[in-house]
């Protein structure tokens, strides 16, 4: 039960005044970092600026209150931007709300069913491929605002988008791009001046002042959205229908999976920094509740944000109190200062997201993966290009299916079936000789088949091929299974077919060194009764001794007699 307990409960037991002040300080700093990102991500996702803050406030508060990590900071992230934009374009704001709530429900179910530990089995080339693909897509989506291009409607598809950019290059605004470059320079250079206050915030303030002071012809949040609301988020229920759910369930699943991966990766990274251990299933449940409430209060999908979580740790945050303070600080900013956001240039927000895209591109990891096996490189590239050119949903699906097939192929190559003749040099598990010189005349009568590796559908054909090598004189078959950790239904079927073949040819079966899982599979299928409990041996030496006795007609019952 403790694994489904929020970390807040266990961390406040020995809470000190000193830690409280550290958490408050960290929470305020993280809120300042989250402010420009939340606004920028909301606009880039196709929704109004305040919805980004609604998400950071509502979801951020719940993730810290109920989450399974001590230091996780939740809110909108770049990973969702492309998915959200696509949903808004195709289904509107109400469709986004429904998809966000559905994703939350799915995440809760994943946590209840203890899928928190399963997420880690998603192959690294897939996560790198779609993360890098998302980064490139985010970068591409910001070109219009960064350059000030005159395009009425930017296409959704990657190639169409760049065709539109190239066709509108003669409309580049010098004033706009100058402000965008200024914002980039400030963002990149500011950490040398002060690492506590984020460069993105300074860039937005500085460029807003410059644009207003010199009355520059640069598009701002105000020129695009008008007056920005500072009202508190209101609870609204969307119009759920079965048709809407049917169309939105697929993107909702993508949001749930992507959100789960990102939040748990963030939790793992933070564990390494503070020497802690997060509760993955509780974290998924908290993320699910946060997304449901974010949807009802007009927000967009949320997850654990790695950059903000790391900033929280570096500034002294060690308990969920820091995340709660972060949410409350953003609430204060929303009510008091939100109307001022209308002066922020869109090109400056584009500069912020260009830096976000660069930081999440993982280009070093992408490059490093080219030193991996060719199959991993194939998964990486296919996931990357499908993410960029087609769809993130399809990228994850294709990447997982391809990885699964390649994994099965590798496992099939690892598993082998050896046919051993009785040889005086053969040794048992203790290194002792199994066979004595005086039984060499039984070579043709007794065969030892050794299976090495998982006995599953990828290796079943090897087993059946090896059976075809049984000679006409063989009447005893010893199956050495000490190196078989597990077997599946296909392998069980092959085993059953092997018994039929041996029954037809009156070949006795002896099994040695079988492990618990394979034995349980055979037992449930009733095959242990067919073979006979007395024909299972702990060591191959015992099995061969019995085989020798049988070959000499001593106390032997033919378990394969028809």
């Amino acid at each position: 039960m403790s694994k489904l307990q929020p970390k807040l409960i266990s961390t406040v037991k020995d809470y000190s005044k000193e830690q409280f002040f550290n958490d408050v300080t960290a929470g305020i700093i993280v809120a300042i970092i989250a402010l420009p990102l939340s606004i920028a991500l909301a606009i880039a996702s196709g929704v109004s600026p305040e919805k980004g803050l609604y998400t950071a406030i509502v979801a951020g508060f719940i993730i810290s209150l109920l989450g399974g990590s001590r230091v996780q900071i939740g809110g909108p992230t770049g990973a969702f931007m492309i998915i959200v934009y696509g949903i808004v374009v195709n289904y509107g704001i109400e469709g986004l709300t429904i998809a966000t709530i559905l994703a939350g429900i799915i995440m809760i179910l994943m946590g209840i069913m203890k899928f928190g530990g399963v997420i880690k089995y998603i192959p690294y080339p897939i996560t790198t491929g779609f993360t890098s693909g998302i980064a490139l897509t985010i970068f591409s989506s910001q070109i219009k605002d960064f350059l000030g291009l005159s395009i009425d409607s930017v296409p959704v598809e990657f190639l169409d988008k760049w065709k539109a950019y190239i066709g509108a290059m003669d409309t580049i605004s010098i004033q706009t791009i100058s402000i965008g470059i200024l914002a980039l320079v400030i963002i990149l250079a500011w950490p040398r001046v002060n690492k506590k206050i984020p460069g993105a915030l300074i860039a937005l303030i500085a460029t807003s002042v410059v644009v207003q002071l010199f009355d520059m012809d640069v598009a701002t949040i105000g020129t695009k959205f008008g007056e920005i609301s500072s009202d508190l988020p209101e609870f609204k229920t969307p119009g759920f229908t079965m048709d809407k759910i049917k169309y939105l369930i697929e993107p909702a699943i993508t949001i749930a999976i992507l959100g789960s991966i990102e939040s748990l990766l963030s939790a793992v990274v933070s564990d390494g920094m503070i020497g802690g251990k997060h509760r993955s299933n509780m974290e998924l449940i908290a993320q699910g509740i946060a997304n449901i409430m974010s949807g009802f209060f007009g927000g967009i999908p949320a997850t654990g944000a790695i950059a903000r979580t790391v900033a929280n740790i570096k500034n002294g945050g060690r308990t969920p109190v820091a995340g709660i303070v972060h949410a409350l600080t953003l609430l204060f900013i929303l009510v008091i200062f939100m109307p001022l956001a209308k002066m922020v240039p869109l090109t400056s927000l584009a500069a912020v997201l260009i830096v976000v895209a660069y930081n999440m591109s993982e280009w070093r990891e992408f490059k490093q993966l080219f030193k991996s096996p060719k199959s991993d490189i194939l998964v990486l590239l296919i996931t990357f290009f499908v993410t960029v050119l087609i769809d993130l949903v399809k990228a994850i699906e294709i990447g997982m299916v391809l990885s699964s097939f390649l994994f099965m192929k590798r496992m099939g190559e690892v598993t082998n079936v050896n046919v051993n003749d009785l040889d005086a040099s053969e040794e048992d598990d203790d290194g002792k000789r199994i066979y004595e010189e005086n039984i060499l005349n039984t070579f043709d009568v007794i065969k030892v088949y050794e299976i090495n590796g998982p006995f599953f559908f990828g290796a079943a054909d090897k087993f059946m091929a090896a059976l075809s090598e049984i000679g006409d004189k063989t009447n005893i078959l010893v199956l050495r299974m000490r190196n078989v950790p597990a077997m599946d239904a296909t392998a069980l079927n092959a085993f059953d077919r092997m018994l039929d073949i041996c029954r037809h040819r009156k070949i006795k079966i002896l099994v040695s060194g079988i492990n618990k899982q394979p034995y349980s599979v055979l037992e449930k299928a009733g095959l242990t009764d067919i073979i006979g409990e007395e024909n299972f041996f702990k060591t191959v030496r015992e099995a061969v001794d019995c085989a020798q006795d049988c070959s000499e007609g001593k106390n032997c019952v033919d378990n394969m007699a028809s």
Side-chain angles (χ1 to χ4, degrees):
M1 186 65 185
S2 62
K3 290 186 178 180
L4 289 181
Q5 182 186 79
K7 273 288 185 177
L8 180 64
I9 295 176
S10 54
T11 55
V12 297
K13 291 179 180 178
D14 300 316
Y15 202 56
S16 64
K17 183 187 295 185
E18 181 183 4
Q19 185 56 57
F20 173 74
F21 285 115
N22 288 339
D23 287 338
V24 169
T25 301
I28 293 172
I29 292 173
V30 172
I32 295 172
I33 294 172
L35 176 63
L37 289 175
S38 299
I39 293 173
L41 289 168
I43 293 174
S45 299
V47 299
S48 55
E50 68 272 12
K51 290 186 179 298
L53 282 184
Y54 292 168
T55 307
I57 293 168
V58 176
F61 181 85
I62 293 173
I63 288 170
S64 294
L65 182 70
L66 302 177
S69 170
R70 297 172 62 97
V71 291
Q72 183 88 281
I73 301 296
T77 66
F80 290 136
M81 197 190 85
I82 308 305
I83 305 171
V84 172
Y85 184 79
I87 295 173
V88 172
V89 169
N90 294 312
Y91 304 103
I93 297 297
E94 185 177 62
L96 173 62
T97 300
I98 294 172
T100 303
I101 294 171
L102 289 176
I105 294 172
I106 293 169
M107 294 175 81
I108 291 175
L109 293 175
M110 290 169 68
I112 292 174
M113 292 186 289
K114 298 184 178 180
F115 278 11
V118 176
I119 299 295
K120 64 185 178 184
Y121 294 112
I122 295 180
Y124 181 61
I126 292 179
T127 58
T128 303
F130 73 65
T131 301
S132 299
I134 291 170
L136 178 58
T137 309
I138 291 174
F139 170 78
S140 299
S141 68
Q142 300 308 303
I143 299 302
K144 173 184 177 293
D145 288 338
F146 187 75
L147 301 180
L149 301 177
S150 296
I151 302 176
D152 293 334
S153 179
V154 178
V156 176
E157 301 299 329
F158 179 82
L159 295 179
D160 293 339
K161 189 177 283 152
W162 278 98
K163 287 179 183 177
Y165 291 157
I166 294 171
M169 279 298 170
D170 57 341
T171 66
I172 289 178
S173 168
I174 300 300
Q175 291 189 17
T176 299
I177 194 173
S178 298
I179 293 298
I181 292 173
L182 175 61
L184 271 180
V185 171
I186 293 173
I187 293 170
L188 297 176
W190 182 256
R192 299 180 181 179
V193 179
N194 188 302
K195 293 185 178 180
K196 293 285 186 181
I197 302 175
L201 180 64
I202 301 301
L204 297 187
I205 294 174
T207 54
S208 297
V209 170
V210 170
V211 169
Q212 297 298 318
L213 189 63
F214 294 98
D215 193 24
M216 299 177 72
D217 184 20
V218 175
T220 64
I221 293 177
T223 61
K224 183 173 182 178
F225 294 96
E227 293 296 323
I228 308 300
S229 173
S230 60
D231 295 337
L232 295 176
E234 297 181 5
F235 186 93
K236 293 182 180 179
T237 303
F240 286 98
T241 65
M242 286 307 299
D243 285 340
K244 291 178 182 178
I245 292 174
K246 182 175 68 174
Y247 289 123
L248 292 166
I249 190 64
E250 187 174 5
I253 292 172
T254 303
I255 292 171
I257 293 175
L258 191 57
S260 299
I261 293 171
E262 189 165 5
S263 63
L264 294 181
L265 283 177
S266 176
V268 170
V269 170
S270 64
D271 283 349
M273 295 180 69
I274 66 173
K277 184 174 177 59
H278 72 282
R279 296 164 183 160
S280 58
N281 295 311
M282 188 66 237
E283 183 65 22
L284 288 181
I285 292 173
Q287 295 282 342
I289 296 173
N291 276 280
I292 291 173
M293 298 311 295
S294 177
F296 280 127
F297 279 99
I300 60 179
T303 185
I306 295 178
R308 275 160 270 174
T309 299
V310 171
N312 178 38
I313 295 170
K314 289 184 176 179
N315 286 283
R318 288 297 181 275
T319 77
V321 172
I324 293 173
V325 171
H326 139 267
L328 295 177
T329 302
L330 287 175
L331 178 63
F332 175 79
I333 294 172
L334 170 69
V335 174
I336 304 299
F337 298 108
M338 194 59 185
L340 298 177
K342 67 180 181 180
M343 295 186 292
V344 175
L346 294 179
T347 184
S348 300
L349 290 174
V352 171
L353 289 181
I354 287 172
V355 174
V356 168
Y358 175 81
N359 290 335
M360 73 178 294
S361 66
E362 298 187 351
W363 65 269
R364 294 181 181 84
E365 292 82 358
F366 196 98
K367 180 180 177 182
Q368 186 67 26
L369 273 170
F370 276 90
K371 299 178 182 178
S372 304
K374 291 181 180 179
S375 57
D376 289 326
I377 297 174
L378 179 65
V379 172
L380 170 72
L381 293 178
I382 288 179
T383 305
F384 174 77
F385 284 113
V386 173
T387 299
V388 174
L389 300 176
I390 302 176
D391 181 60
L392 177 60
V393 179
K394 297 293 185 292
I396 296 176
E397 292 173 352
I398 293 172
M400 286 301 296
V401 170
L402 184 58
S403 294
S404 298
F405 276 116
L406 290 172
F407 172 76
M408 290 182 286
K409 180 177 179 293
R410 288 174 184 168
M411 293 302 293
E413 291 171 349
V414 168
T415 304
N416 60 71
V417 181
N418 297 324
V419 183
N420 299 325
D421 289 322
L422 297 185
D423 190 317
S425 64
E426 187 74 23
E427 296 179 341
D428 64 12
D429 299 342
D430 298 322
K432 299 176 181 178
R433 288 197 309 175
I434 300 172
Y435 319 116
E436 302 297 334
E437 299 287 351
N438 61 0
I439 66 167
L440 292 180
N441 60 352
T442 63
F443 281 1
D444 294 331
V445 176
I446 302 172
K447 291 289 185 182
V448 179
Y449 276 39
E450 181 169 12
I451 307 172
N452 293 298
F455 191 16
F456 73 123
F457 59 89
D461 61 324
K462 290 185 177 181
F463 179 68
M464 296 308 297
L467 286 176
S468 64
E469 300 178 16
I470 298 178
D472 294 335
K473 295 182 180 180
T474 301
N475 58 29
I476 300 174
L477 180 63
V478 178
L479 291 179
R480 196 177 189 186
M481 299 181 66
R482 59 174 182 164
N483 294 323
V484 179
M487 65 186 294
D488 69 357
T490 306
L492 177 64
N493 177 261
F495 205 98
D496 194 21
R497 287 158 58 196
M498 178 269 296
L499 293 181
D500 288 337
I501 293 171
C502 292
R503 184 183 299 109
H504 179 72
R505 297 179 58 176
K506 294 183 172 58
I507 298 175
K508 180 178 176 63
I509 301 295
L510 305 178
V511 182
S512 74
I514 189 169
N515 290 302
K516 184 176 180 180
Q517 195 274 351
Y519 183 84
S520 176
V521 171
L522 295 179
E523 185 177 37
K524 288 180 181 178
L527 299 190
T528 54
D529 292 333
I530 294 175
I531 297 171
E533 292 287 349
E534 70 279 2
N535 293 310
F536 285 86
F537 302 90
K538 289 185 178 180
T539 67
V540 69
R541 186 186 185 92
E542 294 174 357
V544 169
D545 286 343
C546 178
Q548 184 183 1
D549 289 342
C550 287
S551 67
E552 297 173 358
K554 300 177 182 177
N555 302 321
C556 184
V557 178
D558 187 358
N559 60 351
M560 291 294 112
S562 55

